């Protein structure tokens, strides 16, 4: 009888452990969802509603998409819409759910050597930075922000060139080809870092940079000493920054926890998830705007 009881306890332990493991979802996401503090609001509420825990791997959008393409995660939550659509079209993801948006801003020192303060034309602002050869720091990490920056350089009309670089991510060497202004080695700094470290570096060196608004607000108002960089260019439709969530395709990767990923995606675009996104503020400022239900109350 004693042995039967022990075996029963062991069985229950194994069963409960397996069940708990099944309720953990692996998500690769851009650093801005984490740095802005949004995930600290969303994920505990999602766990309360569903019992599903989300294990977060925060990195650049390019690295997050590669995680999905390698089948290393169950879902990706990123912001580079053309790359997201390609991810789905090539069969790596099942469907892109439009979750929310914020926007990018061009930051710089108060001295503003390129004289871009007040411009609402982001391409023109970058052209003036090129012409003045004022220092600019780029994430250079194949993230959604880095992707947007390259689009803006193309739109600026300034001469651009392509450069091949290597990054080490998760112990792997990754080849990246990216665009930047031609002949800019003296003033253009590509550091291969996330948004937070890029902001810190730009502040130390008093350079221009491109940031998502949410992370900028968190660093500007959420740290002792703030951030000695100002928003100098904003409001251009080119700076619009949509985010999508995509479950990884179980037909390509049978091991992924698709049902959990689908629940997460559908929760984010439900009235519950959308209201949490709309209500999230930092220092009274709204950081993200819901896209699935823009008028959610």
């Amino acid at each position: 009888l004693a042995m039967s009881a022990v075996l029963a306890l062991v069985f229950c332990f194994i069963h409960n452990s397996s069940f708990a493991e099944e309720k953990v979802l692996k998500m690769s996401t851009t650093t801005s969802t984490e740095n802005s503090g949004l995930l600290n609001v969303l994920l505990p509420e999602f766990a309360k509603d569903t019992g599903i825990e989300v294990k977060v791997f925060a990195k650049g959008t390019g690295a997050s998409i590669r995680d999905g393409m390698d089948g290393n995660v169950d879902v990706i939550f990123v912001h580079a819409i053309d790359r997201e659509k390609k991810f789905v079209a090539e069969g790596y993801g099942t469907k892109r759910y439009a979750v929310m948006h914020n926007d990018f801003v061009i930051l710089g020192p108060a001295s503003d050597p390129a004289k871009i303060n007040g411009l609402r034309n982001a391409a023109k602002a970058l052209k003036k930075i090129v012409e003045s050869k004022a220092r600019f720091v780029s994430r250079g990490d194949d993230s959604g922000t880095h992707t947007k920056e390259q689009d803006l350089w193309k739109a600026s009309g300034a001469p651009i060139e392509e450069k091949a670089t290597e990054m080490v991510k998760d112990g792997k060497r990754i080849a990246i080809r990216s665009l930047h202004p031609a002949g800019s080695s003296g003033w253009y700094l590509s550091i291969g870092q996330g948004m937070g470290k890029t902001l810190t570096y730009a502040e130390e060196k008093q350079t221009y940079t491109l940031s998502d608004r949410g992370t900028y607000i968190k660093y500007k108002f959420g740290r002792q000493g703030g951030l000695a960089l100002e928003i100098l260019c904003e409001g251009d439709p080119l700076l619009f920054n949509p985010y999508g969530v995509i479950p990884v395709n179980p037909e390509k990767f049978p091991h992924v926890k698709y049902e959990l990923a689908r629940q997460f995606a559908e929760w984010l675009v439900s009235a519950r998830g959308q209201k949490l996104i709309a209500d999230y503020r930092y220092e009274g400022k709204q950081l993200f705007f819901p896209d699935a239900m823009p008028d959610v109350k």
Side-chain angles (χ1 to χ4, degrees), residues 105-119 125-126 128-130 132-139 149 153 187-191 195 198-199 201-211 228-233:
V105 289
I106 299 176
L107 309 175
S111 59
D112 187 23
K115 308 301 180 195
I116 67 170
N117 192 12
L119 287 180
L126 288 192
K128 286 173 73 72
I129 290 172
V130 171
S132 66
K133 293 182 169 54
R135 287 188 299 177
F136 184 99
V137 61
S138 169
R139 283 180 60 164
E149 180 207 316
W153 289 125
W187 56 269
Y188 181 84
L189 311 167
S190 180
I191 63 173
M195 195 70 257
T198 300
L199 287 174
Y201 188 86
E203 178 182 44
E204 289 173 356
K205 303 297 183 184
Q206 287 292 282
T207 72
Y208 294 99
T209 193
L210 180 72
S211 173
L229 294 173
E230 303 297 328
I231 294 176
L232 300 177
C233 179

Side-chain angles (χ1 to χ4, degrees), residues 85-147:
K85 289 178 178 177
K86 183 180 179 185
F87 180 80
V88 173
E90 292 179 348
Y92 293 104
T94 57
K95 174 184 175 180
R96 180 188 185 271
Y97 296 76
V99 178
M100 63 189 188
H101 69 273
N102 64 1
D103 63 345
F104 292 105
V105 289
I106 299 176
L107 309 175
S111 59
D112 187 23
K115 308 301 180 195
I116 67 170
N117 192 12
L119 287 180
R120 293 179 63 86
N121 184 318
K124 184 176 180 181
L126 288 192
K127 183 73 179 294
K128 286 173 73 72
I129 290 172
V130 171
E131 290 169 350
S132 66
K133 293 182 169 54
R135 287 188 299 177
F136 184 99
V137 61
S138 169
R139 283 180 60 164
D141 64 347
D142 198 34
S143 61
T145 305
H146 185 210
T147 298

Side-chain angles (χ1 to χ4, degrees), residues 255-273:
H255 64 275
V256 299
K257 297 173 183 174
Y258 170 71
E259 282 304 316
L260 302 189
R262 182 187 58 77
Q263 284 185 63
F264 178 63
E266 292 183 356
W267 183 88
L268 281 178
V269 299
S270 72
R272 169 91 161 116

Side-chain angles (χ1 to χ4, degrees), residues 30-38 79 139 212 215 241 243 288:
T30 174
T31 57
S32 58
T33 57
E34 183 175 63
N35 289 345
S36 65
L38 179 66
H79 63 124
R139 283 180 60 164
D212 68 280
T215 306
N241 183 29
Y243 289 73
F288 297 93

